Amino acid sequence: MSTATTSSLVTHPRIVERLVQGQATSDGAGVKLTRVLTQNLQRRLDPFLMLDTFGSDAASDYIGGFPDHPHRGFETVTYMLEGRMRHKDSAGHEGLLTPGSVQWMTAGRGVIHSEMPEQQEGRMEGFQLWLNLPAKSKMREPWYRDIRPEEIPVWRGEGAEAGVTAHVIAGTTHGVSGAMQREDTEPLYLDLHFAPGATFEQPLPAAHNAFVYVYRGELQVGETAVRRQRMAILANTAGGDGVRLAAGVEGTEGARAILIAGRPLNEPIAQYGPFVMNTNEEIFRAVEDFRAGRLA
Ligand code: FE
């Protein structure tokens, strides 16, 4: 029973502005995935540029992987739930993503990398989020970090929030600082696990853009039920001070979702495939640099 309301962190919760169903697509060498945050939502969800989800038990859906390809101008955040993926890049970095781990890569002025499954069978499931860089940082030196599962802080709810566990990938929740912090965009990235009927509150600055993607069970956000495989865009209502999430009481599985929020950059966005800059001129230069081998 959730009766303790005196310690509420959120008094004016945001409502759901819009529910989005992802689009089935494929990328890399034929990897099947669902693009949830698509290009037409980049302004609305600034500083986030893309969210892909992948999940399959069929090797044919993922075995081709993502052979060598470039990136410039933003960060990629890959979160593995199941499966193993090896990455290598042109700067000589190499690492293995295992279940529960995160790879945070700042492409900066450019890298060429590959992301290949290191399994012939079994389940592969996870997310890839693209986080924009401010204009001043788009041409910075590339950087990356492999974050092992045990390096991701876990918060466990008590009292009114008993039954909720948060894996804090980025940002801060309930005083627990995540594995990553970013100054310009202040991203919050939580993987939330709910027991049936459990509730969770997260303060959010009103100007930050925020969304929830449910990947198991169902969540209630205000009056809106958010079903599995749906993204709920949270309204930036004036005076809104956060979000309140509640798992349905039905079933025994509970719910799982990622909650993502960040401070918008409010800068022009020019994208051509794996290059995201501020102007078309910078995009032409990125393509030229790539063709001339200057990204490696
Ligand atoms: Fe990539």
Side-chain angles (χ1 to χ4, degrees):
M1 287 291 114
S2 303
T3 50
T5 51
T6 46
S7 61
S8 271
L9 299 165
V10 175
T11 54
H12 294 90
R14 295 190 189 199
I15 59 165
V16 174
E17 172 182 302
R18 185 175 161 190
L19 289 172
V20 176
Q21 184 170 10
Q23 294 172 11
T25 183
S26 71
D27 209 338
V31 176
K32 285 201 178 134
L33 49 83
T34 302
R35 189 146 295 162
V36 179
L37 197 173
T38 47
Q39 214 168 343
N40 59 315
L41 292 170
Q42 286 176 341
R43 284 245 64 97
R44 175 63 190 86
L45 293 175
D46 178 12
F48 304 103
L49 299 163
M50 193 188 84
L51 176 69
D52 282 347
T53 79
F54 48 93
S56 178
D57 299 310
S60 58
D61 287 346
Y62 60 72
I63 206 73
F66 301 87
D68 276 350
H69 60 280
H71 292 288
R72 171 180 281 182
F74 59 98
E75 305 191 86
T76 67
V77 182
T78 308
Y79 180 33
M80 295 297 288
L81 296 172
E82 294 288 345
R84 296 152 64 85
M85 193 93 94
R86 181 168 296 277
H87 70 88
K88 291 182 189 175
D89 72 30
S90 50
H93 303 127
E94 183 174 341
L96 183 65
L97 279 161
T98 57
S101 68
V102 169
Q103 189 211 32
W104 196 293
M105 183 183 80
T106 307
R109 64 174 168 73
V111 292
I112 295 171
H113 77 159
S114 61
E115 301 154 290
M116 302 298 288
E118 190 144 295
Q119 62 190 41
Q120 303 295 316
E121 55 181 22
R123 183 156 184 81
M124 180 78 78
E125 183 178 8
F127 303 99
Q128 189 172 82
L129 177 73
W130 288 12
L131 169 61
N132 209 354
L133 286 168
K136 65 176 185 197
S137 305
K138 282 186 175 291
M139 294 298 277
R140 56 159 282 177
E141 284 298 299
W143 179 89
Y144 93 104
R145 181 179 163 201
D146 279 329
I147 307 168
R148 297 190 310 272
E150 61 271 25
E151 295 177 305
I152 298 173
V154 177
W155 170 83
R156 287 173 212 286
E158 291 173 1
E161 292 177 304
V164 180
T165 304
H167 296 255
V168 191
I169 295 168
T172 300
T173 190
H174 298 75
V176 175
S177 286
M180 288 291 299
Q181 309 293 334
R182 279 285 179 262
E183 235 174 67
D184 297 295
T185 48
E186 294 178 39
L188 173 77
Y189 191 154
L190 304 178
D191 180 16
L192 297 166
H193 298 193
F194 293 81
T199 63
F200 174 78
E201 291 185 341
Q202 174 68 36
L204 296 169
H208 286 204
N209 291 324
F211 60 93
V212 179
Y213 178 81
V214 177
Y215 67 94
R216 296 276 192 286
E218 182 174 309
L219 281 182
Q220 194 74 25
V221 185
E223 301 291 296
T224 310
V226 186
R227 286 161 48 204
R228 194 168 90 86
Q229 295 178 345
R230 294 292 186 283
M231 171 172 71
I233 298 177
L234 304 176
N236 296 70
T237 321
D241 60 358
V243 64
R244 198 176 283 160
L245 306 170
V249 287
E250 313 221 334
T252 51
E253 203 201 354
R256 293 188 184 193
I258 51 175
L259 170 62
I260 292 173
R263 180 163 75 185
L265 291 166
N266 294 312
E267 292 176 353
I269 300 169
Q271 177 177 8
Y272 177 73
F275 309 121
V276 184
M277 303 300 287
N278 299 111
T279 66
N280 285 335
E281 210 169 40
E282 291 168 336
I283 289 293
F284 293 138
R285 202 169 317 135
V287 173
E288 254 174 38
D289 285 352
F290 173 53
R291 288 193 180 136
R294 288 191 290 262
L295 252 59

